[in-house]
Amino acid sequence: MRSIEQLTEEVLSLPSESRALLAEKLVESLEFDTDPAIQAVWTTEAKRRRDEVRSAAVQPIAGEEALAQVRQLLEQ
């Protein structure tokens, strides 16, 4: 059996579209103890955002940059 590190390395070498599909499948596989209606709303929102990125309607930014922007807003 492959280690988590080996599996991570292999997965990260996949094309971004494949990684996104895998991430979606992994998230769907998790058990959620939330209201099904709330879960449906979040799923719809996540798919909407994914589609916006795929269609280039929005440009993603790196997580570090997003956090820096949030920190700057909180300091104001």
Side-chain angles (χ1 to χ4, degrees):
M1 179 176 264
R2 289 178 282 197
S3 70
I4 294 294
E5 291 80 15
Q6 291 169 323
L7 188 55
T8 300
E9 185 177 326
E10 185 177 340
V11 167
L12 291 176
S13 71
L14 294 171
S16 60
E17 192 169 312
S18 296
R19 291 192 322 268
L21 178 60
L22 179 59
E24 185 178 332
K25 298 285 185 192
L26 288 170
V27 169
E28 287 175 358
S29 74
L30 299 173
E31 292 185 30
F32 292 99
D33 292 332
T34 59
D35 183 319
I38 294 171
Q39 185 60 39
V41 170
W42 276 114
T43 299
T44 300
E45 178 66 11
K47 288 180 179 179
R48 181 188 67 79
R49 292 179 185 195
R50 176 202 62 197
D51 292 343
E52 285 180 340
V53 170
R54 286 182 177 172
S55 71
V58 298
Q59 293 298 316
I61 61 173
E64 289 180 15
E65 182 180 340
L67 289 173
Q69 290 178 14
V70 169
R71 287 184 187 108
Q72 186 177 26
L73 288 172
L74 291 174
E75 291 175 358
Q76 295 178 359

